[in-house]
Amino acid sequence: MKLDTSGFETSVPTIGFGSSSDMLDELSSVPSFDLPHTKEFDGFQKKAVDMLKHAKGTTTLAFIFKGGVMVAADSRASMGGYISSQSVKKIIEINPYMLGTMAGGAADCQFWHRNLGIKCRLHELANKRRISVSGASKLLANMLYSYRGMGLSVGTMIAGWDETGPGLYYVDNEGGRLKGDRFSVGSGSPYAYGVLDSGYKYEMSVEEASELARRSIYHATFRDGASGGVASVYHVGPEGWTKLSGDDVGELHYHYYPVPPAIAEQVMEEATTE
Amino acid sequence: MQIFEYNGSAVVAMVGKNCFAIASDRRLGVQLQTIATDFQRISKIHDHLFIGLSGLATDVQTLYQRLVFRHKLYQLREERDMKPETFASLVSAILYEKRFGPYLCQPVIAGLGDDNKPFICTMDSIGAKELAKDFVVSGTASESLYGACEAMFKPDMEAEELFETISQALLSSVDRDCLSGWGGHVYVVTPNEIKEKILKGRMD
């Protein structure tokens, strides 16, 4: 867990009366860094970190079942109350047999997942075999642990299929890493857990599992203000991952709860009041 | 989040040709969690006067009850309905009475005055009136609503076109706001009738 300390070395030597003497040259090689000009030295870093800390406004879930791993997520990005996008890709394809989900800071998740993809590929080239899901999640957890306290916001699940079968790990910015069968991350996760836990059976078929995942995401987008957009569902099997569906939750609502058609001849955007 | 954004709301009113339309979203939430999708934000004071209240839901309901009370007293004493301009002044006075412990709502008042001339106005939470000739907005989605109304509004629209315009403006604005939406409620009022419609919107 070696931290990158190249930022400490300054290009300009710190001591410089008459820089020709030998003793001064040795002293000038001591690593040091520029102190920031601020009144409040003790607190300013925490304030800067808190400013960037985004609540994990999203819903992602993943579970292991007989047919592999099912991964699903919404697609809304919010900045406080404003919806900045309804079409964010929150399921990141690390390599053809491993997926990562995004919750928390979008930049953090995208960067660290791509970084993980690079490390996995290097492992493959160095060891002539694919990395396991356990190994990949451990790499990510260790990287995040070394940046603990610096304000990264990452709540991700690594799902994949390796020699031992399906694998699912939860990794977060505190450096925590948990192995499990069912996870949901984000502000909409309590609602997704409710539907997922009550409908889950290990012996589900792929169709039943994908419908359960889609329904869980839909219910979370209904109740949670920070989740919405499109519910994407991916399946990870022995041959790798495939995208099963990407349904707009606005339309899914009327698919699950259709409004009885109005008798009158009025035009669009009208529903009978109850 | 701020106290005005605790429950989430969006209200808009527009002026047409001898008619007006007032619309609101239907969500009641507790910060990010949605509790109900049929919350009434717009209420009728009399056949030609409606008030929509955005902001903290408890104050919305209490303030509405107080205003209905005051209007009923007025009706008993004056034996007629209140004019919209008068009602706006009444609301402004009631809000300013609580200057140092205000009702945390922003009302939108819409009515037909003398000669069926439409009247709309909005206020901040301590009673500063803002009269407008075209449209007024309030709530957590107000910035999006300003943009949408500015782009879609045309003066002197008839009731049908006004309904389409206000519905589109409301739905497209709340689709950019996490805290409001989950359907829409529109009233289009002409001198002879009140049309009430519920909009099918995105439920996320």
Side-chain angles (χ1 to χ4, degrees):
Chain A
M1 266 160 296
K2 216 171 176 304
L3 263 183
D4 186 351
T5 54
S6 57
F8 283 4
E9 278 127 29
T10 53
S11 51
V12 178
T14 46
I15 305 159
F17 289 105
S19 45
S20 50
S21 112
D22 281 1
M23 207 168 67
L24 283 169
D25 276 352
E26 269 180 69
L27 280 169
S28 71
S29 65
V30 169
S32 61
F33 52 91
D34 298 318
L35 285 177
H37 302 285
T38 173
K39 278 181 244 167
E40 219 220 297
F41 181 66
D42 285 323
F44 84 97
Q45 264 194 337
K46 182 162 200 305
K47 273 208 213 135
V49 159
D50 279 341
M51 200 163 68
L52 290 172
K53 204 169 192 104
H54 310 275
K56 294 176 183 142
T58 187
T59 311
T60 59
L61 60 85
F63 57 90
I64 295 180
F65 69 109
K66 187 186 70 174
V69 194
M70 205 54 87
V71 183
D74 74 314
S75 70
R76 177 175 286 185
S78 48
M79 299 194 309
Y82 182 68
I83 299 175
S84 43
S85 170
Q86 290 268 59
S87 51
V88 177
K89 268 189 71 164
K90 294 193 189 177
I91 298 182
I92 299 162
E93 297 141 10
I94 300 171
N95 60 41
Y97 60 98
M98 234 188 326
L99 293 173
T101 59
M102 181 202 293
D108 288 336
C109 289
Q110 280 173 359
F111 177 83
W112 287 109
H113 278 126
R114 190 159 164 78
N115 198 284
L116 179 64
I118 293 169
K119 287 212 161 72
C120 292
R121 179 74 182 131
L122 287 173
H123 175 101
E124 264 183 47
L125 292 168
N127 299 85
K128 274 205 196 163
R129 51 185 263 166
R130 280 182 177 171
I131 191 171
S132 63
V133 183
S134 170
S137 60
K138 192 99 187 189
L139 278 176
L140 181 64
N142 290 345
M143 279 195 287
L144 293 177
Y145 182 79
S146 69
Y147 285 90
R148 210 175 126 105
M150 296 197 194
L152 288 183
S153 175
V154 172
T156 183
M157 294 177 285
I158 305 291
W161 189 292
D162 58 26
E163 286 161 357
T164 61
L168 179 62
Y169 286 82
Y170 164 75
V171 178
D172 69 17
N173 53 275
E174 314 276 295
R177 172 174 167 266
L178 295 172
K179 183 173 156 71
D181 293 333
R182 284 194 298 248
F183 287 113
S184 176
V185 181
S187 58
S189 62
Y191 315 111
Y193 269 131
V195 178
L196 178 60
D197 288 342
S198 53
Y200 177 82
K201 284 193 285 286
Y202 182 78
E203 295 80 21
M204 282 188 291
S205 66
V206 174
E207 289 77 32
E208 286 169 346
S210 82
E211 180 57 25
L212 179 66
R214 202 169 64 148
R215 206 159 189 145
S216 307
I217 294 287
Y218 155 72
H219 278 284
T221 62
F222 180 76
R223 283 287 171 182
D224 181 32
S227 304
V230 168
S232 329
V233 181
Y234 283 66
H235 172 242
V236 187
E239 312 298 317
W241 57 260
T242 37
K243 180 163 181 177
L244 291 181
S245 63
D247 301 289
D248 183 286
V249 297
E251 285 154 33
L252 267 186
H253 173 84
Y254 296 107
H255 169 69
Y256 289 136
Y257 302 103
V259 179
I263 312 160
E265 341 56 89
Q266 290 285 27
V267 284
M268 47 183 154
E269 286 186 319
E270 200 184 310
T272 50
T273 58
E274 258 115 81
Chain B
M1 282 186 191
Q2 316 291 16
I3 189 64
F4 282 106
E5 290 161 29
Y6 187 73
N7 293 124
S9 52
V11 183
V12 56
M14 275 190 186
V15 160
K17 193 163 182 165
N18 290 336
C19 63
F20 69 86
I22 183 166
S24 76
D25 74 321
R26 305 186 80 207
R27 177 183 182 266
L28 174 71
V30 168
Q31 296 188 324
L32 286 176
Q33 183 181 49
T34 305
I35 306 288
T37 56
D38 58 0
F39 188 65
Q40 270 274 77
R41 270 191 185 95
I42 300 177
S43 322
K44 192 173 86 159
I45 302 288
H46 65 72
D47 275 344
H48 290 158
L49 180 58
F50 281 73
I51 181 163
L53 291 153
S54 69
L56 197 63
T58 174
D59 283 350
V60 162
Q61 291 180 325
T62 304
L63 186 59
Y64 166 65
Q65 286 161 5
R66 292 241 157 113
L67 292 170
V68 160
F69 168 69
R70 294 295 296 266
H71 182 255
K72 283 187 174 163
L73 268 182
Y74 184 93
Q75 276 179 324
L76 285 172
R77 288 181 183 139
E78 302 268 328
E79 290 175 3
R80 64 179 177 90
D81 288 333
M82 232 192 234
K83 279 195 260 199
E85 294 85 356
T86 318
F87 184 71
S89 300
L90 171 68
V91 177
S92 174
I94 288 179
L95 290 175
Y96 199 80
E97 269 172 6
K98 302 272 183 211
R99 170 65 175 82
F100 298 109
Y103 288 111
L104 298 159
C105 7
Q106 283 133 338
V108 164
I109 296 164
L112 288 174
D114 292 331
D115 299 325
N116 292 323
K117 190 166 176 316
F119 167 86
I120 51 171
C121 87
T122 185
M123 277 168 227
D124 68 359
S125 56
I126 44 176
K129 259 189 290 190
E130 188 219 308
L131 308 166
K133 294 203 171 65
D134 39 18
F135 57 84
V136 289
V137 305
S138 119
T140 50
S142 58
E143 273 141 24
S144 302
L145 277 166
Y146 272 126
C149 291
E150 196 67 65
M152 299 187 197
F153 181 79
K154 286 194 319 271
D156 288 331
M157 283 187 280
E158 295 292 340
E160 296 300 320
E161 210 192 337
L162 187 64
F163 167 71
E164 289 298 327
T165 308
I166 201 175
S167 307
Q168 283 292 71
L170 179 71
L171 288 178
S172 57
S173 309
V174 300
D175 282 347
R176 274 288 174 184
D177 183 25
C178 297
L179 303 170
S180 55
W182 277 257
H185 207 144
V186 186
Y187 291 84
V188 181
V189 180
T190 55
N192 305 319
E193 60 170 353
I194 303 168
K195 277 198 280 239
E196 177 189 344
K197 294 195 178 110
I198 305 237
L199 301 176
K200 260 170 69 164
R202 285 183 67 95
M203 303 295 252
D204 65 352

